[in-house]
Amino acid sequence: MLPKPKKYWTPQHWASWKPFGIGEQYPNNYWEVFRAIWLSRGQLPYTWNILNQGVCDGCALGTTGMKDWTLDGIHLCNVRLRLLRMNTMPAFDPLLLADVSQLQQQKSAQLRDLGRLPYPMIRERGEKGFRRISWDQALEVISDRIQATTPDRLSFYITSRGTVNETYYATQKAVRAMGCNNIDNAARICHSPSTAGLKAALGVGATTCSYKDWIGTDLLVFIGSNVANNQPVTVKYLHYAKKAGTKIVVINTYREPGMERYWVPSIVESAIFGTKFAEDFFLVNAGGDMAFLNGTIKNMIAYGWVDQSFINRHTTGFEELKASLESQSWEELERLSGASRYEMHAFAKMVKEAKNAVFVWSMGITQHECGEDNVRSIINLALTKGFVGREGCGLMPIRGHSGVQGGAEMGCYATVFPGGKPIIPENANYLSQLWGFEVPASQGLIAPEMIDAAHQGQLDVLCSVGGNFLEVLPEPDYVEDALKQIPLRVHIDIVLSSQMLVEPAETVVLLPATTRYEIPGGVTETNTERRVIFSPEIPGPRIGEARPEWEVFMELARRVRPDLIEKLSFADTAAMRQEIAQVIPQYAGIQNLKVAGDQFQYGGSHLCFGWNFTTPDGKAHFGVLSPRQKELPEGCFLLATRRGKQFNSMVQERKDAITGAMREAVLINAEDAAKLGLKNGDRIVLKNELGELSGEVYLAPIQSGNLQVHWPEGNILLHKNKRSLEGVPDYNAIVRLERQS
């Protein structure tokens, strides 16, 4: 049984004795509430019902209404409040798109604020803008083009913007009925290295623990993850974790202010005095995490701090790892990690003293060329003490968006079928028999490969649900050139985005989508802790002719394959959930979710419980990992990209309320800046072989030799061909810094 949080106030955890953190830099959470009320003032009853009954369409915490299964009380964060307006805003006048020349100059944030997309619209090559058409006309244009080409020249992308399990499942089924496996979604771009690493080491592909394990565990470690910014409701968990005696540690390139202290608005004590979270920060180079963790394990082995009994009985590969670490010198590990061996020893001692621990990671780990090995290095460390499969222990690749966990498991991937089954003839044959049509047995194109194919003139159709390749992939000019070469682009969304306005090669079709709260019959979401949650339809205003995406794809597939009409029909979302339960064994129970509050956690509270691993040999596998990095040229810096006040690529404010940095800020270590004769606010330019980015010096507690700029602004400096084994873009670069003349 984990320790419970102390009920009395704990001044030793207070961030400041100044009431309400007067003068401190942090988000004004109460202002966000009033802002949301003002923006939705014309739909207040509907707004309240969304908040009170719907499952949050923001991060993958998974609140139902404003409650969850971890802590009592109200759970409401700035991310959800900012996304709320997209569910309540009115439609824009379609005539607005008659001439898009002026709109093409606007940023995506300005395009979003114009309102909801109400009707299907089309733009042909040479036309100034879009004109309204009927759904029948739109689907005829799309199906005719699909039938006129071959499946290998089709591509489909589904993002995580409030996208639900039913949409992911129906879409991948429809696409495969059309003979194609070229389908991808944001889950793979974010956490496929995590899935690959966990499956290889433990035999599972998701977080092994629950959020409850954060509260009262001895050690809670965040690696390349900033939950205060990306999953802000979790700061409530961190507050109570501290009150239960949990030590919180962060390994990162930047000493994230929100991970150091925060004023939690729904807790009186924290709202007044704030809460100090991380007791220790270990600053590493961008891409230096593996070296730091290898050094940590090297220390633990040297001092006999590993759990040898667990290792002998339940793991394999430890001796090979041990031999590999012996050959890795401290000098090399220090150079690569940016941390000293004494810091690695200090962290190793914390791990040694902990009886249980939870490790949480995110994009700072996965979005590297070595993303899979980064994940394996975290797993290696956890296995040295058996920190998996029991209370207060676990490995958690935390999700930043509400739909991505289910997106992966519904099979909305070019590389796996539903349930995470590999794309091989045996599994394709099984689905073919189950669905009643031939399912392709070869892997398809992932998102970056779709763009490469388009650039080479090898793609005839791109259908994108949400998303914006212009703002999420490296080398945006290359991406734009590729989009301009696709004969038919179809964009299904609730608002406008910049990629919709890219000049058509031949035809661009816009299709209006519903939000998750507008889908008849209700839908489900899977959160980070594997909890499948029912979100009901919320009665209220509806926008024009917007339709649920799953219905659109089913109808499109029936038009392309009229011989499969009966096999490509669902009466409603409930019927779809019946099939999901049959096709994906771990989702058995989804068919029983019918009303708000219904949920279940597949696999229980802990995967691998009792150290029962689902690998072929029943054991957990250590991995031999050798960190490598090219020599940093003289005068160059390691550059990482970061988020500010935004959700995914959706920038909401120029200033990040947590860090105080503006969008043009280049975060730099104060000593590095002093050596270059730079001070706060100086204009500088970052350069490499791909491009240039102008910005302003922003002194920050960041590891020396490293810089950070905001994403997607920094994408012009990222190399399109730098990808992990799973095809995840590397959102880091090497740059030169020059004073701007």
Side-chain angles (χ1 to χ4, degrees):
M1 181 70 70
L2 297 177
K4 300 296 183 184
K6 298 179 177 66
K7 294 184 178 180
Y8 50 82
W9 286 20
T10 50
Q12 65 268 32
H13 298 154
W14 292 355
S16 172
W17 284 82
K18 294 183 293 185
F20 301 102
I22 295 172
E24 298 285 346
Q25 179 68 51
Y26 72 99
N28 187 332
N29 298 289
Y30 301 113
W31 165 246
E32 292 285 352
V33 173
F34 289 117
R35 179 185 181 279
I37 292 172
W38 174 254
L39 289 177
S40 298
R41 61 191 180 279
Q43 299 289 346
L44 286 180
Y46 183 51
T47 302
W48 171 251
N49 288 336
I50 288 174
L51 291 175
N52 198 43
Q53 300 173 29
V55 175
C56 176
D57 57 349
C59 80
L61 181 74
T63 57
T64 181
M66 290 181 279
K67 298 182 181 297
D68 71 4
W69 296 269
T70 305
L71 290 170
D72 294 331
I74 298 294
H75 301 301
L76 184 62
C77 74
N78 294 343
V79 169
R80 190 177 187 189
L81 289 170
R82 285 290 175 134
L83 291 176
L84 187 60
R85 180 57 177 161
M86 294 180 67
N87 297 296
T88 63
M89 67 169 55
F92 61 73
D93 185 342
L95 293 177
L96 184 71
L97 298 186
D99 184 345
V100 300
S101 57
Q102 296 302 313
L103 294 178
Q104 288 171 330
Q105 310 305 314
Q106 296 189 16
K107 295 183 180 297
S108 286
Q110 296 170 300
L111 296 175
R112 282 199 312 273
D113 289 342
L114 294 175
R116 292 274 297 273
L117 176 66
Y119 306 109
M121 304 192 76
I122 191 169
R123 184 187 181 196
E124 305 281 3
R125 182 173 55 193
E127 295 180 344
K128 292 183 178 181
F130 293 85
R131 66 183 188 277
R132 179 180 171 181
I133 58 175
S134 69
W135 270 103
D136 186 66
Q137 290 173 304
L139 292 173
E140 183 178 1
V141 168
I142 301 167
S143 59
D144 285 351
R145 171 64 72 171
I146 291 175
Q147 289 173 310
T149 188
T150 54
D152 61 300
R153 298 179 71 88
L154 308 176
S155 62
F156 302 83
Y157 180 78
I158 318 295
T159 193
S160 58
R161 184 260 327 139
T163 307
V164 293
N165 290 329
E166 290 79 2
T167 294
Y168 283 121
Y169 182 80
T171 301
Q172 62 83 30
K173 183 177 181 180
V175 169
R176 287 176 168 126
M178 291 185 278
C180 180
N181 276 331
N182 296 343
I183 184 167
D184 201 8
N185 81 75
R188 197 198 54 74
I189 292 177
C190 295
H191 267 304
S192 55
S194 300
T195 301
L198 286 166
K199 281 189 174 181
L202 309 178
V204 300
T207 179
T208 68
C209 60
S210 302
Y211 291 124
K212 284 186 176 179
D213 291 293
W214 291 20
I215 302 170
T217 186
D218 292 332
L219 184 64
L220 178 57
V221 184
F222 292 90
I223 313 174
S225 176
N226 179 11
V227 296
N229 185 284
N230 299 317
Q231 297 93 2
V233 169
T234 60
V235 296
K236 192 168 187 176
Y237 300 171
L238 299 185
H239 172 86
Y240 286 111
K242 291 290 290 187
K243 292 179 80 70
T246 296
K247 177 188 284 289
I248 299 173
V249 173
V250 176
I251 301 169
N252 208 340
T253 306
Y254 174 49
R255 191 180 180 97
E256 299 284 358
M259 295 300 294
E260 189 168 16
R261 83 288 183 275
Y262 201 94
W263 282 256
V264 184
S266 58
I267 302 171
V268 174
E269 179 185 9
S270 184
I272 298 175
F273 297 109
T275 307
K276 291 186 294 186
F277 293 146
E279 298 177 35
D280 290 278
F281 277 83
F282 294 98
L283 297 185
V284 297
N285 288 329
D289 309 88
M290 191 197 318
F292 180 84
L293 295 172
N294 274 11
T296 301
I297 299 171
K298 190 177 174 80
N299 265 297
M300 295 187 68
I301 293 172
Y303 287 92
W305 292 343
V306 300
D307 185 341
Q308 198 64 52
S309 175
F310 166 80
I311 291 171
N312 293 341
R313 294 174 59 194
H314 298 285
T315 74
T316 184
F318 180 71
E319 291 303 318
E320 291 82 354
L321 172 62
K322 182 178 179 181
S324 174
L325 291 176
E326 288 174 354
S327 68
Q328 297 176 29
S329 70
W330 284 114
E331 291 75 19
E332 184 72 354
L333 292 174
E334 287 179 320
R335 182 184 71 82
L336 292 172
S337 69
S340 70
R341 66 180 293 183
Y342 304 105
E343 290 174 299
M344 300 177 207
H345 178 270
F347 181 56
K349 190 175 181 183
M350 294 177 191
V351 177
K352 170 253 183 182
E353 292 172 350
K355 294 180 180 178
N356 42 53
V358 175
F359 298 87
V360 182
W361 69 90
S362 193
M363 307 299 95
I365 286 293
T366 59
Q367 290 180 337
H368 292 264
E369 280 188 293
C370 57
E372 293 80 9
D373 283 350
N374 284 345
V375 172
R376 289 298 299 270
S377 68
I378 299 172
I379 298 171
N380 279 348
L381 178 58
L383 291 179
T384 63
K385 292 285 299 292
F387 289 147
V388 64
R390 55 192 176 92
E391 189 180 31
C393 296
L395 293 153
M396 180 178 283
I398 195 166
R399 301 287 190 166
H401 308 292
S402 59
V404 285
Q405 185 70 42
E409 292 157 350
M410 294 298 109
C412 212
Y413 266 21
T415 53
V416 296
F417 286 134
K421 295 180 179 178
I423 295 181
I424 57 176
E426 179 184 356
N427 292 333
N429 290 336
Y430 170 76
L431 287 175
S432 297
Q433 294 175 14
L434 192 66
W435 287 340
F437 55 80
E438 185 177 353
V439 173
S442 58
Q443 290 193 5
L445 301 177
I446 60 176
E449 292 170 342
M450 294 174 189
I451 295 300
D452 290 341
H455 207 271
Q456 296 161 17
Q458 298 173 359
L459 208 62
D460 289 334
V461 178
L462 168 65
C463 184
S464 177
V465 176
N468 188 344
F469 284 153
L470 283 177
E471 296 186 2
V472 300
L473 291 179
E475 298 190 45
D477 289 344
Y478 173 85
V479 175
E480 183 172 0
D481 287 343
L483 293 176
K484 288 179 178 179
Q485 297 185 53
I486 303 173
L488 173 64
R489 299 198 328 266
V490 182
H491 301 288
I492 308 177
D493 211 331
I494 64 174
V495 293
L496 293 177
S497 68
S498 58
Q499 75 170 354
M500 296 177 177
L501 306 181
V502 171
E503 294 297 315
E506 293 181 17
T507 307
V508 178
V509 175
L510 308 183
L511 299 177
T514 57
T515 70
R516 64 167 54 182
Y517 308 115
E518 298 167 353
I519 299 177
V523 289
T524 61
E525 167 200 319
T526 308
N527 75 354
T528 289
E529 64 175 3
R530 299 171 278 104
R531 195 177 299 277
V532 187
I533 313 164
F534 184 79
S535 184
E537 179 185 5
I538 308 296
R542 296 296 183 256
I543 298 297
E545 296 176 2
R547 294 180 61 182
E549 295 109 320
W550 77 264
E551 288 185 3
V552 175
F553 277 98
M554 283 286 107
E555 182 172 343
L556 179 61
R558 290 194 295 268
R559 287 174 178 249
V560 174
R561 294 290 306 273
D563 56 315
L564 299 178
I565 287 178
E566 292 185 0
K567 296 178 175 63
L568 293 172
S569 298
F570 291 108
D572 51 27
T573 57
M576 202 187 315
R577 290 191 285 276
Q578 290 283 346
E579 183 170 305
I580 291 171
Q582 181 183 6
V583 175
I584 308 173
Q586 69 261 41
Y587 272 73
I590 193 173
Q591 72 274 26
N592 300 321
L593 307 184
K594 299 177 181 178
V595 298
D598 284 357
Q599 55 81 32
F600 70 95
Q601 189 177 17
Y602 79 74
S605 58
H606 298 87
L607 297 182
C608 311
F609 186 74
W611 296 332
N612 292 309
F613 301 103
T614 54
T615 52
D617 59 5
K619 292 188 175 184
H621 292 229
F622 283 96
V624 175
L625 308 171
S626 300
R628 293 285 183 269
Q629 192 176 75
K630 294 179 181 178
E631 287 287 340
L632 192 64
E634 183 70 25
C636 288
F637 287 84
L638 295 168
L639 176 75
T641 52
R642 66 173 293 110
R643 293 188 179 98
K645 180 64 176 177
Q646 64 194 92
F647 178 76
N648 196 9
S649 63
M650 294 165 48
V651 177
Q652 295 158 337
E653 295 285 350
R654 284 192 63 240
K655 183 177 181 178
D656 182 348
I658 293 180
T659 65
M662 306 297 283
R663 298 300 300 185
E664 59 271 21
V666 178
L667 278 64
I668 183 172
N669 177 283
E671 292 183 5
D672 288 344
K675 290 177 183 177
L676 296 171
L678 298 171
K679 62 183 184 303
N680 256 334
D682 284 352
R683 297 292 301 175
I684 56 175
V685 60
L686 306 182
K687 298 180 179 180
N688 62 14
E689 71 278 11
L690 298 173
E692 300 182 3
L693 177 68
S694 296
E696 293 185 358
V697 169
Y698 188 83
L699 303 182
I702 190 172
Q703 175 73 347
S704 178
N706 290 257
L707 305 172
Q708 287 192 11
V709 295
H710 285 104
W711 173 91
E713 290 89 338
N715 285 4
I716 59 174
L717 299 170
L718 307 180
H719 201 296
K720 65 180 184 298
N721 293 326
K722 286 184 65 179
R723 302 171 191 165
S724 78
L725 294 175
E726 293 291 316
V728 174
D730 188 329
Y731 286 91
N732 306 273
I734 294 177
V735 297
R736 302 184 307 279
L737 186 156
E738 298 177 5
R739 187 185 295 271
Q740 195 165 40
S741 55

